[in-house]
Amino acid sequence: MVDGETARGLARSLREILQAAERVLARDGDSPLLRMITEHIGCPISQIPNVTERWPAWEHANLQRGVDAYLAEHSPGADWFGIGGAPKMHTDLMDMLTMVSGPHMFSLGPVDYTSVGIAPDRSMEAVQFGLVRTAAPDGSPVVLGVRGPSDYHPEPTCSLQVLATARETAGEVRE
């Protein structure tokens, strides 16, 4: 049997642990990576629909050219940013954004680039994994995520992910 003083001491200790955990969780919500996205789009990450399209690996150069043309029209000078931290090759973008703390910490990081063949003797630089803040044709803020093919997947594909406040807006940008 536990006496009253011991029980009160244990309760105080548990309260202090919970308060410390609350402070850590509040600080983790202040991720620069999440801020780059949520402040631009204007809503919490939990409310952002994720619209994705995938293409065969050999379309990577065309995907990059399409994104470059879109950015030139809707947000020239837009800066790319990346995600650093745990290995990204098997993790979906939205999963990374919800795991900015914990055992698989992801954070704001550099863009990953690769060289993509465009002819037998020519290549171009392309984003292997990165994000860029831009706008939809109607001016709504969106974030584009580009991922090149991975050698670790049985059927390598490249993809475009569009994050926006509305699925319709993201779909329009994707098209």
Side-chain angles (χ1 to χ4, degrees):
M1 188 134 229
V2 177
D3 65 44
E5 188 58 34
T6 302
R8 278 189 289 284
L10 179 59
R12 277 192 295 278
S13 294
L14 287 172
R15 182 178 54 213
E16 290 171 7
I17 289 170
L18 290 173
Q19 289 170 341
E22 188 175 344
R23 286 191 300 273
V24 167
L25 291 174
R27 184 182 66 233
D28 289 343
D30 193 30
S31 159
L33 172 60
L34 288 182
R35 274 198 318 272
M36 289 282 288
I37 295 168
T38 58
E39 287 179 2
H40 178 70
I41 292 177
C43 67
I45 200 73
S46 61
Q47 296 175 9
I48 298 174
N50 173 25
V51 174
T52 304
E53 180 140 357
R54 298 183 199 303
W55 293 273
W58 50 268
E59 290 284 4
H60 193 180
N62 290 328
L63 171 59
Q64 185 66 53
R65 287 177 172 155
V67 169
D68 289 345
Y70 185 90
L71 294 174
E73 182 177 340
H74 297 281
S75 54
D79 291 323
W80 287 85
F81 60 97
I83 297 179
K88 303 175 283 242
M89 66 190 111
H90 298 294
T91 309
D92 178 77
L93 173 61
M94 290 306 286
D95 290 340
M96 284 184 229
L97 296 177
T98 58
M99 292 190 293
V100 294
S101 64
H104 304 289
M105 294 179 69
F106 292 99
S107 60
L108 188 60
V111 178
D112 298 332
Y113 292 95
T114 190
S115 182
V116 178
I118 57 172
D121 60 345
R122 291 185 31 224
S123 63
M124 65 177 273
E125 188 174 82
V127 172
Q128 178 63 27
F129 186 79
L131 300 107
V132 62
R133 296 182 296 183
T134 185
D138 69 2
S140 302
V142 296
V143 173
L144 304 180
V146 172
R147 180 176 284 203
S150 169
D151 295 334
Y152 303 102
H153 289 280
E155 292 185 40
T157 61
C158 52
S159 64
L160 173 69
Q161 291 180 268
V162 184
L163 310 178
T165 56
R167 184 174 49 88
E168 296 77 18
T169 301
E172 182 182 348
V173 171
R174 178 193 59 205
E175 296 307 315

